[in-house]
Amino acid sequence: MTQGKMRQLPQQDGAAYEVARDVLLQLIGHAAGRVADGEGEWTEKRDRWTSQLNALDPEDTDAVQGVLDREAPVLKSITEGLSQ
């Protein structure tokens, strides 16, 4: 996406997209670390999150909201588990 196209998005939608993108990037990073540690069951999750990230369109507010609704709680759960 070009910078010009991003500027056309309403500010709230652009911010939601950036948060959704960040959530997916963090999940991918966590899953990649688990796979590197020999936990192969995380491969499918990493691949799914990578596919979601690659397909995420900032203009598709339903898809962006779907990521926030489904995946942000997963990230929160993982993050809370790491801090205990």
Side-chain angles (χ1 to χ4, degrees):
M1 172 186 342
T2 66
Q3 286 293 334
K5 190 172 182 183
M6 184 64 170
R7 285 191 202 107
Q8 294 173 1
L9 291 174
Q11 189 172 14
Q12 182 178 355
D13 291 346
Y17 168 77
E18 291 300 325
V19 171
R21 184 177 171 276
D22 188 53
V23 165
L24 290 171
L25 287 169
Q26 289 185 55
L27 288 169
I28 292 164
H30 178 77
R34 300 291 289 263
V35 169
D37 288 342
E39 299 178 50
E41 65 273 11
W42 283 84
T43 301
E44 183 179 327
K45 293 176 185 181
R46 182 201 57 205
D47 293 348
R48 179 171 52 88
W49 291 323
T50 300
S51 292
Q52 285 180 334
L53 178 62
N54 289 337
L56 193 60
D57 179 353
E59 294 181 5
D60 186 347
T61 56
D62 290 337
V64 169
Q65 189 61 51
V67 168
L68 295 173
D69 290 345
R70 285 185 315 274
E71 309 303 353
V74 174
L75 179 60
K76 181 179 179 186
S77 175
I78 290 170
T79 303
E80 288 174 349
L82 293 174
S83 66
Q84 292 179 358

